[in-house]
Amino acid sequence: MRDFVLKRMVALVLPFVTMLGLYVIFHGHLSPGGSFSGGIITGLSIIAFNLVFGTERGEEKISERLMALIESFGALWYGAMGLVGILRGASFLMNKGAGVPVGQPGSLYSGGLILLITLGVGLKVASTMVTLFLELMEEED
Amino acid sequence: MSPNIADLLNVIFLTFLVVVAIAVSYVKDLIYAAILLGAYSVAIALIWLLMSAPDLAITEAAAGIGMTTLMIAVISKIGRKVE
């Protein structure tokens, strides 16, 4: 597993994989994909780093505690975005009816709260996948 | 009436799917089984694409090819051979 070619290839490819995952998350309301697939792609890039460079280096980059914090933040973020509707005097998770500005159809900012909600779900999925993987790796030792 | 190219590709991918799915159960080494399961996911992602469901194709490619293969590969490092 600790191969020179593998390490260099991963170092070359991984930034683009992370960018692709974030792209899929942010364009979830415009193009195929969404928070789940984008979150998995983003999580996969972190998992690949952990697998190739070892979990110690991965722990230095993004610790397990930070992963747990991001995981909780994603769920809380979803709830907070839902509360926007209530605070504006409409129902839970209300988007346009609560007076949230929705931009031009087809542009990146066109769904009101959908973009922010998708970001929260994507972060949650990514960190959950990484936490699952790290738990499995620990069980091995 | 001549068969169009999408039907032909569908038949090819579905045949590949069945062959790989049967092969997974015959392989003794778990790491090979995980890689074959990845090939299964490639075929099914292409089938989703042919059925014009690119959303499912992306999810299948990410979850099936990447995540499942990695997870099973990590699990199979614990005990590789099954009797």
Side-chain angles (χ1 to χ4, degrees):
Chain A
M1 278 296 201
R2 311 275 182 267
D3 196 0
F4 175 78
V5 178
L6 196 62
K7 278 184 179 179
R8 293 283 82 76
M9 276 310 291
V10 161
L12 274 177
V13 167
L14 272 198
F16 297 102
V17 176
T18 315
M19 281 303 295
L20 175 70
L22 291 176
Y23 169 84
V24 172
I25 288 177
F26 279 119
H27 289 249
H29 54 297
L30 295 174
S31 59
S35 48
F36 184 69
S37 18
I40 284 186
I41 296 172
T42 314
L44 266 181
S45 65
I46 304 172
I47 286 178
F49 185 89
N50 273 302
L51 202 60
V52 172
F53 287 92
T55 39
E56 295 85 16
R57 289 272 322 266
E59 178 82 23
E60 283 172 25
K61 295 276 181 192
I62 301 177
S63 65
E64 233 173 300
R65 184 174 153 68
L66 182 63
M67 273 298 152
L69 282 177
I70 292 176
E71 201 177 337
S72 314
F73 173 78
L76 281 176
W77 182 253
Y78 195 106
M81 286 304 114
L83 283 181
V84 169
I86 289 185
L87 290 180
R88 300 290 294 259
S91 60
F92 189 70
L93 275 177
M94 184 71 97
N95 195 356
K96 196 186 174 186
V100 179
V102 285
Q104 285 282 349
S107 67
L108 182 57
Y109 183 76
S110 63
L113 288 178
I114 301 291
L115 184 65
L116 297 170
I117 289 175
T118 309
L119 178 64
V121 178
L123 284 179
K124 169 113 178 125
V125 171
S127 52
T128 306
M129 286 299 161
V130 177
T131 314
L132 260 174
F133 172 79
L134 288 177
E135 290 293 327
L136 281 174
M137 283 294 270
E138 271 174 17
E139 217 159 276
E140 180 193 347
D141 307 327
Chain B
M1 155 184 165
S2 62
N4 58 7
I5 192 79
D7 285 345
L8 192 66
L9 282 174
N10 240 334
V11 169
I12 291 173
F13 289 145
L14 283 171
T15 315
F16 182 71
L17 198 72
V18 171
V19 168
V20 169
I22 293 173
V24 167
S25 61
Y26 277 104
V27 171
K28 283 282 180 283
D29 201 330
L30 276 178
I31 202 100
Y32 295 151
I35 293 168
L36 278 177
L37 215 58
Y40 175 90
S41 292
V42 171
I44 209 166
L46 288 171
I47 289 171
W48 288 134
L49 207 59
L50 278 178
M51 292 177 173
S52 51
D55 195 7
L56 280 176
I58 286 184
T59 309
E60 182 67 41
I65 302 170
M67 195 55 75
T68 315
T69 310
L70 271 182
M71 287 290 177
I72 297 177
V74 169
I75 295 170
S76 60
K77 270 165 72 182
I78 304 170
R80 280 191 66 173
K81 296 257 181 185
V82 277
E83 299 302 323

